[in-house]
Amino acid sequence: MSDLPPLGKVSGVVTLDGKPLANARVQFQPPDSRASEGMTDENGAYTLRFDLTNYGAKVGPHVVSVTTRTDGYAKPPQNGQEGEWVKGQPESVPAKYLKPGALTAEVKAGSNTINFELKN
């Protein structure tokens, strides 16, 4: 018996002012289960994963977050060389979309195409 909730496959495109938003993390958070996440590619396209082996998001309502901000991190040292610092990325999503509840979506059983057209 599986502990997996009913999932709907979710993919879509995220744009900012009509242009694809690349390298953005898209997260769908239902009120009572784990979140599903995906990253946008250079065309702004994303596909959600529920966990390592299952694609999709729990069927039902979700609060959605989209962010491009990443923290910097140190790569581990290799071959006796000092670790390299990788710079984080700044946020390019307008602040109005970063507020909890600013973006929402309803996931249905089956395949869902959910696009987000963000504007400055």
Side-chain angles (χ1 to χ4, degrees), residues 57-102:
K58 183 177 180 194
V59 171
H62 292 259
V63 171
V64 178
S65 66
V66 177
T67 182
T68 58
R69 183 183 170 282
T70 60
D71 293 327
Y73 64 94
K75 284 187 176 178
Q78 291 182 340
N79 303 327
Q81 300 291 320
E82 197 171 303
E84 177 184 347
W85 180 256
V86 178
K87 281 179 61 173
Q89 295 298 314
E91 185 63 74
S92 59
V93 174
K96 63 186 171 186
Y97 298 112
L98 300 175
K99 295 183 177 121

Side-chain angles (χ1 to χ4, degrees), residues 15 22 31 34 47 54-55 61 68 72 75 89 91 99 116 119:
T15 57
R34 68 180 295 153
T47 300
N54 296 285
Y55 284 88
T68 58
K75 284 187 176 178
Q89 295 298 314
E91 185 63 74
K99 295 183 177 121
F116 296 96
K119 295 184 183 342

Side-chain angles (χ1 to χ4, degrees), residues 8-92:
K9 301 240 185 264
V10 180
S11 60
V13 174
V14 182
T15 57
L16 178 59
D17 294 330
K19 296 184 177 121
L21 186 62
N23 301 315
R25 184 169 59 92
V26 180
Q27 183 181 68
F28 278 47
Q29 178 65 61
D32 58 354
S33 181
R34 68 180 295 153
S36 294
E37 290 188 3
M39 288 295 290
T40 60
D41 62 15
E42 65 275 0
N43 300 313
Y46 74 93
T47 300
L48 293 183
R49 276 186 104 125
F50 183 74
D51 59 23
L52 290 175
T53 56
N54 296 285
Y55 284 88
K58 183 177 180 194
V59 171
H62 292 259
V63 171
V64 178
S65 66
V66 177
T67 182
T68 58
R69 183 183 170 282
T70 60
D71 293 327
Y73 64 94
K75 284 187 176 178
Q78 291 182 340
N79 303 327
Q81 300 291 320
E82 197 171 303
E84 177 184 347
W85 180 256
V86 178
K87 281 179 61 173
Q89 295 298 314
E91 185 63 74
S92 59

